[in-house]
Amino acid sequence: MDRGEAPYPPDNADYGSGPYGAVGYAGAYKSDSISRPSPTQRPSYFHTVSLGLLVLLPAMMFSLVSMLFSFLYHRLPAACWTFIGLCLCTSFLFMLARPVRDGPRYWFNLGCLCLLATAAAYLASFWNLHKNFDMYWAYDGQRSYANVSPSDQALARLDAGKLLFNSEARVDPTAAVGIVD
């Protein structure tokens, strides 16, 4: 027998009835023993829009809560907490909605995913706020001074975040400190 040749010809009645069935041979499904599911056949409760909503709504809630906490919490904390309250209320409304028919509890699952996304976004963005953005907001809140003379008192500009020296200011290389070999 040649390597490319099947042990049974396709028109043989025993074709696909070997110890491994028809697995391994291209197009070798017997109609009475193995039925291939139709690619367009879906359960009656499956909807592409519903699946998209299960993915996109929690992802959108996560993104919005994260961005609000990162960029707006410093200036408007009440707006951030209000939005989190709206997300939580929406989640609980979805969880309390009654199922219309038998099958998976779609609205309950959507509510759980939205609740999980809101909680995860709050925790992640609060960590991000205190780990990364606190230094930014602290620096942003400090004053900047322009046309500063090097001979001015340092205590006069103790709240400075940025100093711009005047054009006559130069670095004195004799007063510089460093390692000399």
Side-chain angles (χ1 to χ4, degrees), residues 115-151:
L115 181 68
L116 180 67
T118 303
Y122 165 71
L123 292 174
S125 59
F126 209 69
W127 175 82
N128 184 29
L129 177 73
H130 289 298
K131 183 76 174 168
N132 300 313
F133 279 91
D134 274 350
M135 291 297 286
Y136 170 77
W137 291 120
Y139 179 73
D140 187 56
Q142 293 177 339
R143 297 183 61 177
S144 62
Y145 293 98
N147 202 18
V148 176
S149 174
S151 61

Side-chain angles (χ1 to χ4, degrees), residues 37-172:
S38 170
T40 58
Q41 190 178 23
R42 293 184 179 150
S44 62
Y45 52 82
F46 181 84
H47 299 284
T48 306
V49 174
S50 300
L51 184 62
L53 194 60
L54 277 173
V55 172
L56 292 178
L57 187 63
M60 186 179 69
M61 282 184 171
F62 183 89
S63 299
L64 287 174
V65 167
S66 296
M67 285 189 291
L68 281 175
F69 256 87
S70 296
F71 301 115
L72 198 62
Y73 186 74
H74 179 70
R75 304 229 190 265
L76 296 170
C80 296
W81 288 114
T82 303
F83 186 74
I84 284 187
L86 288 174
C87 289
L88 292 175
C89 287
T90 304
S91 300
F92 288 124
L93 283 176
F94 285 151
M95 291 167 73
L96 295 174
R98 289 186 179 184
V100 178
R101 58 177 181 254
D102 290 338
R105 297 179 60 190
Y106 174 77
W107 294 109
F108 181 77
N109 293 339
L110 180 62
C112 287
L113 287 173
C114 289
L115 181 68
L116 180 67
T118 303
Y122 165 71
L123 292 174
S125 59
F126 209 69
W127 175 82
N128 184 29
L129 177 73
H130 289 298
K131 183 76 174 168
N132 300 313
F133 279 91
D134 274 350
M135 291 297 286
Y136 170 77
W137 291 120
Y139 179 73
D140 187 56
Q142 293 177 339
R143 297 183 61 177
S144 62
Y145 293 98
N147 202 18
V148 176
S149 174
S151 61
D152 289 348
Q153 291 292 323
L155 293 177
R157 292 176 176 81
L158 195 57
D159 61 342
K162 181 169 53 170
L163 294 175
L164 299 173
F165 291 98
N166 59 17
S167 59
E168 294 111 29
R170 300 281 182 253
V171 176
D172 184 8

